[in-house]
Amino acid sequence: MTTTDTLDHVTTSVARRVREGYEADFVEWTDRGIDLVRTFPGFLGGGWLRSSGGSNDYHVVYRFETHDNLDAWLHSDSRRRWLSSGRPIADDVATHRLSGVEGWFEPQSNLTDAVRVIGGPPPRWKQAISIGVAFYAVSLLVNIVLTPHLTGLNVALRTAVVVMMCTPLMVYVVMPFVTSRLRKWLVPRA
């Protein structure tokens, strides 16, 4: 899997409020929907969770390889018919789509954490600070360790080498580390 592949993945979470007395119907209806979406190209996984306490809110999470795969599901007749059959059971409360840079801020360790992104990713200024912290650390490391050995290369080639080294390091190591350490600040609990 390449870095580009990972950045193309997209996660959609939908919060639904179930009408009183329809909880069992909702679970059956949602399971039918997940069985249906499994037949679509690019589907990587999904599931549902119930909010804690006496809440009637449920959270459904879908992950696709690309935005095009997700859009094919979202605009399909199969999904439209499935949603129509659930109208008496529940109402959509919120929908959120994450990918690319926003995906760095999506808790991916387990499905339970994924519902915390329903209200959206952290504010852009918090994302910028987090990326800045990570980028500073990687830039400092590269300037100390790598660039002294690249002085014989022209600036375009030197930059290409640095970018090829930094990108996977940022995506797979540094950003997950930084966002996991800043999680409480990035996504405060309601």
Side-chain angles (χ1 to χ4, degrees):
M1 179 183 304
T2 65
T3 302
T4 305
D5 293 334
T6 301
L7 293 177
D8 287 344
H9 291 179
V10 59
T11 299
T12 296
S13 57
V14 181
R16 291 193 168 104
R17 185 154 296 132
V18 178
R19 292 192 175 89
E20 194 69 39
Y22 285 90
E23 292 81 5
D25 294 328
F26 175 80
V27 170
E28 182 182 317
W29 174 74
T30 301
D31 287 344
R32 279 196 324 267
I34 291 171
D35 287 342
L36 180 63
V37 73
R38 280 189 180 111
T39 66
F40 277 73
F43 179 69
L44 298 175
W48 61 268
L49 301 160
R50 184 175 185 178
S51 293
S52 60
S55 173
N56 282 350
D57 289 351
Y58 286 71
H59 306 277
V60 183
V61 180
Y62 304 101
R63 188 160 178 90
F64 284 87
E65 284 183 312
T66 67
H67 285 276
D68 289 341
N69 292 140
L70 172 60
D71 288 338
W73 160 247
L74 292 176
H75 298 95
S76 71
D77 289 334
S78 301
R79 179 178 177 269
R80 198 172 357 266
R81 284 189 300 272
W82 170 72
L83 283 175
S84 178
S85 70
R87 284 200 180 98
I89 299 170
D91 296 310
D92 286 3
V93 177
T95 301
H96 195 71
R97 183 188 289 209
L98 292 173
S99 64
V101 173
E102 287 180 341
W104 281 342
F105 298 94
E106 174 188 10
Q108 296 179 14
S109 59
N110 59 53
L111 194 56
T112 303
D113 284 342
V115 299
R116 294 186 189 137
V117 300
I118 290 292
R124 290 266 187 223
W125 67 271
K126 286 187 176 184
Q127 292 181 37
I129 289 172
S130 302
I131 292 168
V133 166
F135 190 70
Y136 174 79
V138 170
S139 296
L140 185 61
L141 179 69
V142 165
N143 279 306
I144 291 171
V145 176
L146 186 61
T147 54
H149 303 287
L150 302 176
T151 56
L153 300 176
N154 71 42
V155 70
L157 188 55
R158 187 171 55 236
T159 302
V161 169
V162 168
V163 168
M164 288 188 312
M165 298 289 289
C166 290
T167 301
L169 189 59
M170 283 285 289
V171 171
Y172 294 110
V173 179
V174 180
M175 282 307 300
F177 177 82
V178 169
T179 57
S180 70
R181 297 309 178 273
L182 297 178
R183 178 168 285 137
K184 288 181 182 178
W185 177 70
L186 288 167
V187 185
R189 293 180 191 254

